[in-house]
């Protein structure tokens, strides 16, 4: 009679957790290397955060902040703030609109996917030169900050929102054109090339094949840039481009902390509202 042998499960070897992170020394090495590389940058920029806690600097900071109270909210002052806030939003919106007029055609000329000569593989010489010139133009436009453009236009057209609108239009035109071209080239291009190989024009291929697949991403980035333009329009006011920023600069020069604090709160509210509108539009377009 054969004795039955019970089949017990074979015990697995116990895998104890390591007492130390296996990548600990590697992480410490890369962190130390990053700090070593950042140290010369801190020296070059004279970055000394600890000076904020020196007694005399703390006293100056406290005196400056104490002027922010009480807030100024008289009817005449608030009427001016509302008017300049609306002018700031109008400046940003008009600037982005002009930037779109500039960016859309430049981005289409800079997009390789829409080149008829590139369908065979290598782009012809003159279309390649034109594409290079367009991309160089976009680099120049976005390389010059809107603050510099505003200083130039203030001397050309005088003080006021016109200088801010033109400054935003040029800088943001370069930004939008560059990003639009990269978005259009990053996706699937088979449908676009098929249309052009079958006799379609570049604009038709863009409208019926390339744009539908990238519309949400393009619109989302445009709305984001509009939100950034609102913040930029306030900064441009400090060089005479009008809007809420110019009034803020005037109040700071007059050491009127109550007016400054009120306008800062209004500006924070404006940016928060722009952020919510931007998020809602991006969600709706997605």
């Amino acid at each position: 009679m054969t004795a039955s042998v019970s089949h017990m499960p074979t015990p697995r070897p116990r895998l104890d957790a390591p007492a130390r992170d296996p990548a600990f020394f590697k992480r410490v090495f890369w962190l130390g290397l990053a700090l070593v590389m950042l140290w010369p940058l801190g020296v070059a920029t004279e970055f000394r955060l600890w000076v904020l806690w020196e007694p005399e600097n703390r006293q100056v900071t406290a005196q400056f902040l104490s002027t922010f109270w009480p807030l100024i909210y008289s009817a005449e002052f608030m009427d001016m703030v509302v008017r300049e806030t609306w002018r700031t939003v109008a400046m940003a919106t008009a600037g982005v609109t002009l930037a779109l007029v500039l960016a859309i055609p430049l981005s289409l000329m800079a997009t390789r996917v829409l080149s008829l000569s590139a369908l065979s593989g290598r782009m012809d010489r003159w279309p390649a030169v034109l594409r290079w010139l367009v991309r160089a133009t976009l680099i120049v436009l976005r390389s010059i900050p809107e603050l510099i453009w505003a200083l130039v236009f203030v001397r050309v057209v005088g003080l006021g929102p016109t200088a801010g609108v033109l400054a935003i239009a040029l800088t943001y035109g370069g930004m939008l054109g560059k990003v639009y071209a990269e978005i259009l080239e990053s996706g699937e291009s088979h449908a676009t090339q098929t249309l052009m190989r079958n006799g379609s024009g570049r604009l038709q291929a863009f409208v019926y094949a390339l744009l539908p697949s990238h519309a949400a991403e393009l619109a989302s980035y445009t709305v984001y840039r509009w939100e950034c333009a609102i913040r930029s329009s306030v900064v441009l006011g400090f060089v005479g481009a009008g809007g809420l920023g110019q009034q803020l600069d005037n109040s700071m020069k007059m050491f009127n902390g109550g007016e400054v604090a009120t306008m800062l709160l209004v500006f924070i509210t404006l940016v928060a509202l722009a952020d919510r509108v931007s998020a809602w539009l991006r969600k709706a377009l997605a």
Side-chain angles (χ1 to χ4, degrees):
M1 185 175 179
T2 306
S4 59
V5 179
S6 60
H7 297 280
M8 300 294 294
T10 304
R12 296 181 179 180
R14 183 180 177 182
L15 299 177
D16 294 329
R20 185 188 296 271
D21 183 4
F24 174 77
F25 292 105
K26 185 177 180 180
R27 298 179 200 276
V28 171
F29 169 77
W30 287 112
L31 179 60
L33 181 62
L35 292 176
V36 169
M37 296 179 65
L38 288 174
W39 180 259
L41 302 180
V43 174
T45 57
E46 299 181 2
F47 182 73
R48 295 175 296 173
L49 187 62
W50 55 88
V51 299
L52 295 175
W53 280 268
E54 293 181 356
E56 53 189 28
N57 292 334
R58 285 185 295 173
Q59 182 180 1
V60 171
T61 303
Q63 291 176 351
F64 177 70
L65 294 178
S66 64
T67 62
F68 281 21
W69 188 264
L71 301 176
I72 305 299
Y73 50 87
S74 63
E76 181 180 359
F77 175 73
M78 293 306 298
D79 179 69
M80 181 274 296
V81 170
V82 171
R83 185 173 62 252
E84 295 302 327
T85 300
W86 169 247
R87 185 172 296 176
T88 298
V89 176
M91 186 194 309
T93 305
V96 171
T97 301
L98 289 179
L100 290 173
V101 174
L102 183 66
I104 291 175
L106 290 178
S107 63
L108 294 182
M109 288 188 288
T111 302
R112 180 183 176 87
V113 177
L114 294 173
S115 175
L116 293 172
S117 65
L119 292 175
S120 58
R122 183 175 182 180
M123 188 182 296
D124 292 342
R125 181 176 63 179
W126 292 115
V129 170
L130 176 61
R131 180 172 177 265
W132 182 86
L133 290 175
V134 170
R135 286 189 170 268
T137 301
L138 294 174
I139 290 175
V140 172
L141 290 177
R142 71 176 184 271
S143 297
I144 302 176
E146 58 266 35
L147 194 62
I148 304 301
W149 284 121
L151 288 172
V152 172
F153 286 120
V154 161
R155 286 162 175 76
V156 175
V157 302
L159 299 174
T162 301
V165 170
L166 294 174
I168 292 174
L170 290 180
T171 301
Y172 280 59
M175 293 179 182
L176 290 171
K178 184 253 187 183
V179 176
Y180 284 174
E182 291 185 350
I183 290 175
L184 294 175
E185 289 184 347
S186 63
E188 177 61 43
S189 60
H190 177 72
T192 305
Q193 294 178 346
T194 301
L195 284 177
M196 290 193 295
R197 285 195 176 97
N198 286 277
S200 171
R202 296 177 61 192
L203 188 58
Q204 290 174 311
F206 168 72
V207 172
Y208 292 105
L210 201 57
L211 180 60
S213 59
H214 298 89
E217 190 174 0
L218 292 171
S220 177
Y221 183 75
T222 304
V223 173
Y224 168 72
R225 273 296 155 195
W226 170 74
E227 178 188 335
C228 294
I230 291 179
R231 292 191 289 269
S232 296
S233 60
V234 175
V235 178
L236 296 180
F238 281 82
V239 296
L244 191 61
Q246 187 169 349
Q247 300 301 325
L248 185 62
D249 182 45
N250 293 336
S251 295
M252 292 186 70
K253 289 179 179 177
M254 298 298 295
F255 299 100
N256 197 328
E259 292 183 358
V260 172
T262 300
M263 284 188 282
L264 285 177
L265 290 176
V266 171
F267 176 56
I268 292 172
T269 304
L270 175 63
V271 173
L273 289 175
D275 180 71
R276 297 314 306 160
V277 171
S278 175
W280 176 80
L281 287 175
R282 285 197 293 266
K283 184 178 180 181
L285 292 171

